[in-house]
Amino acid sequence: MDRTIAPAAEAIARPNLPSTNKVSLTKDLDIHILNQGKQEVILFEMVIPVGRYQEPAPGLAYYLFKMLTEGTSKRSSEEIASTFDYYGSHLEVTPTLDHVSIKLYALNRFFPEVLELLMEMLTDSVFPESEFEILQDIRTQQIHQQEARNNVFASLKFRELLFGDQHPYGRRVTPDLAQQTSLQEVVGFKKVLLTKPVLFVTGRVTDQELNLIRKQFESIDFQLPTSSQSTAIVQGESQRIDKDGSTQASIRLGKHSINRQHPDIHKFKIANELLGGFFGSRLMKNIREEKGLTYGIHSSNLHLQNASYWYIGSEVLQEKTDLALSEITKEVQRLSNDTPSEAEFNMVTNYMKGKFLGSFDSPFSSHNTIKSLALDGLDEGYLYQYYDTLQSMKAVEVSEMISKHLNPESFTTLIVS
């Protein structure tokens, strides 16, 4: 091999993406199966549709599902943790705004034991008061630490501005709220543990694993999910919040945006990438490289179950805040008015093609990508449409998307400094 000669670059062809099978597990439950990988490893995930729309009080779902690991009638929290460790397994419980994800990573040969333990936790948790007090203190301190960091506080406060402080997506869990929640409230919310979940399993999946899952779930009488009631959005005005001792300003600006079902979604994603979605974006070149105002700046389009919003986020020196805002607006307007060069556009689309393939570089990466689509009622066809848009989109359409969807006059701006 002559290492002085670079390997030939090949154009990325339309890929064959991993496909899932959706099969009936019980009379009430389906399961999404991604049979992929050579190792005897399995990822089983339950997505339980309990989030801010279903909570009587903000943050209650966090406590409820985190308490699952704190003891059953048969085992203490220490025994639960040591059992997962003994079998080389890992459990993740992640509450989000829209649902709670429970992920179980296991070796195939130990899957029966750890799945049985997971179901014991789900159906036989006892919610010990001593463990709740510890969890509550930890949670309160976490929120205190988050609010002390301008960048984290700014992201939470920005969402509150976009939706309103009474909207499920806008309500913040403050330290006082976290501390005031009682164990009685958590136990009173317990019935939602058996809300009908969406199930996913990935890895070396055989009939043996499916039969084990079926056996555990067929005896449970799941309740139907509570529908998300329509809640009015009361958008706030742009704000500047001063915090003592800050040397940096956290900037957040953005607006409500299009969702995944919108016909422009793929083109808008590409336009956003060129504007601020990757390290070589327009915003990074201007705000970081040319002006030296920040270490990083990015733009994103975030999709929640009942809303989507687009935003730009950055941290800059306080005295450079106005200059940064001015330059951000200029870049949005410039991209809206002037078509990017073919070289710049091709660089972005080639980067996005490579990034797209990277989202399927392992069974568990594929799992996360496909899961996000399934929860939005989409299938693999959405991914092929995205790739085809990368192939067919023209540079001039970038400007069209920015002009159509990102009018700076419609932006809500928050500065925390």
Side-chain angles (χ1 to χ4, degrees):
M1 180 184 295
D2 187 348
R3 297 188 181 277
T4 64
I5 301 175
E10 300 287 344
I12 296 175
R14 195 175 196 261
N16 292 317
L17 300 177
S19 59
T20 59
N21 292 323
K22 181 180 177 182
V23 302
S24 177
L25 187 69
T26 69
K27 62 183 178 68
D28 297 318
L29 283 176
D30 295 330
I31 187 167
H32 300 262
I33 304 167
L34 178 58
N35 207 322
Q36 193 180 43
K38 298 179 180 180
Q39 306 301 320
E40 297 289 335
V41 180
I42 198 165
L43 165 57
F44 173 67
E45 181 171 10
M46 301 173 58
V47 179
I48 303 173
V50 175
R52 289 293 169 83
Y53 274 87
Q54 290 75 34
E55 290 177 322
L60 203 56
Y62 178 93
Y63 282 130
L64 176 67
F65 284 90
K66 286 293 186 180
M67 283 297 292
L68 291 180
T69 63
E70 303 303 329
T72 68
S73 63
K74 300 176 183 177
R75 310 173 207 246
S76 67
S77 59
E78 292 83 0
E79 289 171 330
I80 290 173
S82 64
T83 301
F84 281 120
D85 286 343
Y86 177 79
Y87 288 115
S89 302
H90 177 63
L91 183 72
E92 291 180 2
V93 180
T94 308
T96 72
L97 293 174
D98 288 313
H99 56 254
V100 178
S101 165
I102 301 178
K103 283 184 175 180
L104 176 62
Y105 298 85
L107 299 173
N108 284 57
R109 67 179 183 273
F110 297 135
F111 185 60
E113 290 82 358
V114 292
L115 179 63
E116 183 176 356
L117 174 55
L118 173 59
M119 301 310 294
E120 178 185 324
M121 293 160 58
L122 195 66
T123 59
D124 191 35
S125 288
V126 294
F127 301 96
E129 186 171 2
S130 59
E131 298 288 359
F132 176 74
E133 290 174 353
I134 294 171
L135 177 64
Q136 189 171 44
D137 287 342
I138 292 172
R139 179 60 172 161
T140 303
Q141 288 303 315
Q142 286 175 339
I143 298 172
H144 272 299
Q145 292 171 5
Q146 290 172 351
E147 293 200 343
R149 296 167 55 192
N150 283 4
N151 60 331
V152 178
F153 174 76
S155 295
L156 296 173
K157 183 66 178 179
F158 180 69
R159 199 172 64 231
E160 180 185 294
L161 284 183
L162 280 184
F163 292 96
D165 60 7
Q166 298 304 309
H167 190 279
Y169 291 153
R171 290 196 297 261
R172 289 190 298 118
V173 181
T174 64
D176 286 343
L177 279 175
Q179 194 61 46
Q180 291 167 8
T181 301
S182 69
L183 180 58
Q184 289 70 31
E185 288 179 286
V186 175
V187 174
F189 195 46
K190 183 180 178 180
K191 63 181 181 179
V192 303
L193 288 174
L194 298 184
T195 300
K196 181 180 176 181
V198 184
L199 303 180
F200 301 87
V201 62
T202 294
R204 294 293 298 274
V205 185
T206 68
D207 288 342
Q208 181 177 352
E209 284 75 35
L210 287 179
N211 288 334
L212 285 168
I213 298 170
R214 182 178 292 109
K215 181 180 178 181
Q216 291 291 345
F217 279 83
E218 63 186 0
S219 61
I220 299 178
D221 186 18
F222 287 102
Q223 64 182 31
L224 293 176
T226 303
S227 60
S228 299
Q229 300 297 321
S230 178
T231 305
I233 293 173
V234 183
Q235 191 163 338
E237 299 292 330
S238 296
Q239 288 187 18
R240 181 162 191 156
I241 299 174
D242 295 322
K243 299 181 73 176
D244 294 338
S246 296
T247 58
Q248 284 191 322
S250 291
I251 296 174
R252 300 291 183 273
L253 60 87
K255 63 188 292 290
H256 293 276
S257 184
I258 59 177
N259 62 24
R260 280 176 158 173
Q261 283 76 23
H262 194 283
D264 287 346
I265 188 60
H266 298 311
K267 291 181 180 180
F268 181 63
K269 179 179 176 66
I270 296 167
N272 173 73
E273 197 80 11
L274 195 151
L275 174 64
F278 77 120
F279 196 78
S281 69
R282 291 280 185 93
L283 290 175
M284 284 291 282
K285 288 179 180 177
N286 183 341
I287 312 300
R288 173 189 159 104
E289 296 178 18
E290 296 176 10
K291 302 296 189 304
L293 303 179
T294 183
Y295 283 112
I297 184 170
H298 66 278
S299 61
S300 301
N301 200 38
L302 300 183
H303 301 293
L304 301 170
Q305 206 77 53
N306 298 291
S308 296
Y309 66 96
W310 173 90
Y311 81 101
I312 293 174
S314 186
E315 325 301 318
V316 303
L317 288 174
Q318 285 187 2
E319 60 269 26
K320 302 294 185 181
T321 302
D322 291 339
L323 175 59
L325 288 172
S326 174
E327 291 300 321
I328 289 171
T329 301
K330 285 181 183 178
E331 286 301 331
V332 175
Q333 292 173 333
R334 186 163 72 95
L335 191 55
S336 175
N337 296 328
D338 301 327
T339 300
S341 68
E342 288 297 324
E344 181 184 22
F345 177 71
N346 290 335
M347 177 191 68
V348 172
T349 53
N350 284 331
Y351 164 78
M352 295 181 76
K353 289 175 187 177
K355 184 179 176 182
F356 174 65
L357 294 183
S359 63
F360 298 95
D361 62 0
S362 74
F364 295 164
S365 296
S366 301
H367 172 103
N368 289 329
T369 301
I370 291 172
K371 178 192 73 175
S372 69
L373 297 182
L375 294 178
D376 279 346
L378 301 169
D379 57 22
E380 291 91 339
Y382 177 91
L383 300 174
Y384 284 112
Q385 291 169 9
Y386 170 59
Y387 180 84
D388 292 341
T389 303
L390 283 170
Q391 290 283 75
S392 63
M393 187 174 174
K394 306 300 181 185
V396 67
E397 293 178 282
V398 170
S399 297
E400 293 173 359
M401 289 295 104
I402 299 296
S403 177
K404 182 177 180 180
H405 296 292
L406 297 182
N407 179 2
E409 293 181 2
S410 67
F411 294 168
T412 297
T413 301
L414 172 67
I415 301 168
V416 179
S417 61

